[in-house]
Every structure is written in structure tokens, then in C-alpha cells.
Amino acid sequence: MPAVLDQSTIACAAETSEFGRDMLACLGENPHAISPKYFYDAQGSKLFDRICELPEYYVTRTELAIFRRHIGEMAALIGPEAEVIEFGAGSLLKARLLLDVLEAPHGFVAIDISGEHLNAACRDLQRSYPALAVEAVVADFTHPETLPLGHSSPGRRVGFFPGSTIGNFSPVQATRFLVAAARLLRGGGLLIGVDLVKDPALLHAAYNDTAGVTAAFNRNLLVRANRELGCNFAIDGFRHYAFYRPELQRIEMHLISAAAQQISLDGRCFRFAPGESIHTENSQKYTVDGFRALATACGFLPRASWCDEHGLFSIHWLESPGPAP
Ligand code: AVI
């Protein structure tokens, strides 16, 4: 993407890019909503890394503590010569914890839509584990049924999906993902991190940090739309708003228009009234039993679940019965 776009290139980007089409749909519909996947440009990924370090954001450090404590049991359940497939690739820190204790892992495949980040992370991993077959697959991991994966391992195929990213899927997307993953991982299983229902005050703090990093992460969507699509969002004209909906067991993130304003995209003009919202993310929280029931309905056999002592976060080992595909 060139640093400065002329108007015809921008109009074209709005029409032809997936982000452009989705933003047009978002602005044109009421209520306005867009997928949280558009948060993660280079700046959004950096802001998310900062969120993971925040004192209020318990998710990352709690999941890491559970991994560190129980990784031996997890590795024993997975067994020898596994081929590990990570859905989405962050720093691969959690994958390293697993690879360090697995018995003779056969291969590691990381799947992510962002090729640049993925390739760098995989090169690093290969340097640390020279005997391991490391592969980077640039693809949309939210659709496991479309992944171009051959099966070469003598051991089990094991999906690895930490971070509670499944919480950012809608209930329909989560079900579709788990059904497709159960098929892909038949004969093996899925090790998955899932955030839990908890005191709403803790959730509120985690998504409304005092340093304002989550607010910047939310607003970065508008910065990205201005840069890539030629929109004219006044970044300060939208307020970060995150709250817990107990009846749906989810955090919702919104951007709220502070005043009446007009947003243009692709030669069209969209009016925002004061208080009007763009719904940017859901973060679903589960109970341990609720998530195990969902996994079972999608074709998995939940074999083990681990939590921290405060019941904030859970990790599940779900087996997928039957012969490998
Ligand atoms: C990536 N995902 C699990 C994060 C979450 O907690 O839902 C994204 C996030 N949104 C705001 N803070 C963090």
C-alpha cells in the first residue's frame, strides 16, 4: 500500500477491498457494526500487544500462568510426534511453551492472515527449533475447512488456539469454527484458551483501562479507515465505549459519535447523530460447563479443563474422535 493515496486509488480501495466493502455496509446500515478483524493493522497489532501488558487486562498473564502450571499434563494428553497447528500467530510465546515440553513434536504450522508478521515469527521459531518442520500458511484461519493442509505427521494433529480469540466470534461463527476444526483435527484434538464469565467490575476495568490503550485500539479502526479508504472520521469525535451485557455474557465495544457529523466514503455521505454508535467488537465470556457443552455439540470430546485459582480464565483439551482425515 503506497504511503499517500490519490483520490482515484482510494475510491477504488473502498470498492474493491474487503475492508472498504465492509465499511460501506457498516456506514449504510443501522445499527452500524463491523468485524473486529479490522483492528489488526500494524498499529492495531502494536496496541493489542500493549493491552496484553496492562495491569487491568488479566487475560494474557492469567492464561500464561495456567499454561506454565499445567503444560506437562497438556503435553502428556497430546502424546508424541504431534503436528501442531496454531490458528492465528501472535508472538508464538505460548506455542514455545508447548513445543518445549511435547515429546518429539513433528511439525508446527502457523496460520494467519497477516503474512509479514507470520513469516517473521515463523523464521524466529525455526531458528530456535532447527529440527522442527515449521510452516507459515497465509490464510483465514476462521474457516478451517478451507485450509490448504496436507497430513504428514505420524502423530496426532493438534489445533492450538490460545488467547480467547474465539470470544471475538459471534455464536454462529464460533459454532462453525468448532465444527470445521473437529473435522480437520479428527484423531487428534484442540487445545484452546477461553475467557470466563466473572465479576462485571473486573471486565469493565479490563476493557476501560486507565491509560486509554483500549480506547486508542478501538479508535485506530477510524485511523485505518481514513488512511486506507479515504474516510474523514474525526478521531476525537468518537468516544470509546465498552460495557458488559450480562444477559448475553459478553463485553461490547462501540465508538460513539460525540456530535452530529458527516462521514464520506466512496463519494457517499453518511450522517451521524450525537450518541450514534458503531459496534466494533464483542468479547464473549463462557462458563467452563457452557464451553464444554458447545464443544461437545460441535463434535469434540472435552477431556480436560484447567483454570486459575480465581476462576478468571480456562484452557480446554478437546479430543476429536475418529480416524484422521
Ligand atoms: C483478541 N481478543 C481476545 C481480545 C479480547 O479480549 O476480546 C481483543 C481485545 N479487545 C479489547 N481488548 C482486547
Side-chain angles (χ1 to χ4, degrees):
M1 181 77 58
V4 179
L5 301 180
D6 64 36
Q7 282 312 310
S8 60
T9 313
I10 285 172
C12 194
E15 281 159 25
T16 57
S17 76
E18 197 192 358
F19 182 31
R21 283 192 300 275
D22 284 357
M23 183 56 85
L24 265 178
C26 162
L27 293 174
E29 73 196 355
N30 224 322
H32 309 286
I34 190 158
S35 166
K37 69 182 175 187
Y38 298 116
F39 283 141
Y40 300 93
D41 64 351
Q43 178 61 6
S45 300
K46 276 192 200 139
L47 286 165
F48 181 64
D49 287 346
R50 283 181 58 201
I51 289 175
C52 294
E53 306 274 310
L54 290 169
E56 297 98 327
Y57 194 72
Y58 59 87
V59 171
T60 314
R61 64 171 178 278
T62 309
E63 186 184 42
L64 267 172
I66 303 171
F67 271 123
R68 290 204 168 100
R69 190 160 183 181
H70 298 287
I71 199 81
E73 293 158 61
M74 296 173 188
L77 285 165
I78 290 171
E81 300 184 283
E83 179 188 42
V84 179
I85 299 171
E86 177 156 355
F87 298 108
S91 63
L92 300 184
L93 172 66
K94 293 163 200 164
R96 283 167 186 263
L97 286 178
L98 185 62
L99 290 168
D100 284 344
V101 291
L102 279 177
E103 187 186 336
H106 187 266
F108 180 83
V109 183
I111 304 162
D112 205 293
I113 203 76
S114 156
E116 214 174 293
H117 176 75
L118 177 74
N119 288 326
C122 284
R123 270 197 305 274
D124 251 26
L125 192 77
Q126 185 72 81
R127 267 194 292 275
S128 310
Y129 302 85
L132 187 73
V134 177
E135 196 185 341
V137 174
V138 181
D140 182 356
F141 67 82
T142 62
H143 296 284
E145 69 282 5
T146 63
L147 297 175
L149 299 175
H151 196 126
S152 57
S153 166
R156 303 162 100 189
R157 183 183 261 180
V158 171
F160 187 52
F161 197 26
S164 199
T165 302
I166 194 157
N168 300 129
F169 295 0
S170 69
V172 170
Q173 286 170 329
T175 300
R176 273 200 206 125
F177 173 83
L178 289 170
V179 166
R183 219 169 278 146
L184 180 79
L185 302 170
R186 220 178 291 135
L190 177 65
L191 191 61
I192 182 168
V194 178
D195 198 12
L196 297 177
V197 170
K198 59 183 61 64
D199 180 352
L202 281 178
L203 287 168
H204 186 269
Y207 292 84
N208 291 281
D209 63 280
T210 52
V213 184
T214 310
F217 174 71
N218 199 5
R219 286 204 194 96
N220 180 59
L221 181 82
L222 307 181
V223 177
R224 181 177 183 184
N226 285 355
R227 188 184 62 244
E228 291 184 18
L229 307 175
C231 291
N232 62 332
F233 285 108
I235 309 305
D236 294 340
F238 283 84
R239 201 164 50 79
H240 166 71
Y241 182 43
F243 60 99
Y244 184 59
R245 290 189 65 175
E247 77 285 13
L248 296 174
Q249 298 186 348
R250 73 185 192 202
I251 285 277
E252 288 191 7
M253 288 212 316
H254 294 251
L255 289 162
I256 307 288
S257 178
Q261 49 187 316
Q262 294 186 13
I263 308 302
S264 59
L265 173 58
D266 206 18
R268 294 172 59 190
C269 181
F270 303 89
R271 285 174 203 283
F272 274 75
E276 200 167 331
S277 138
I278 303 175
H279 185 171
T280 51
E281 187 183 63
N282 290 324
S283 192
Q284 189 71 42
K285 309 304 169 190
Y286 291 89
T287 61
V288 169
D289 288 348
F291 186 74
R292 288 167 68 105
L294 173 64
T296 304
C298 294
F300 282 108
L301 278 178
R303 288 294 192 201
S305 302
W306 300 268
C307 294
D308 58 293
E309 63 269 40
H310 304 296
L312 298 177
F313 198 88
S314 61
I315 299 173
H316 304 260
W317 169 239
L318 311 170
E319 280 182 357
S320 180

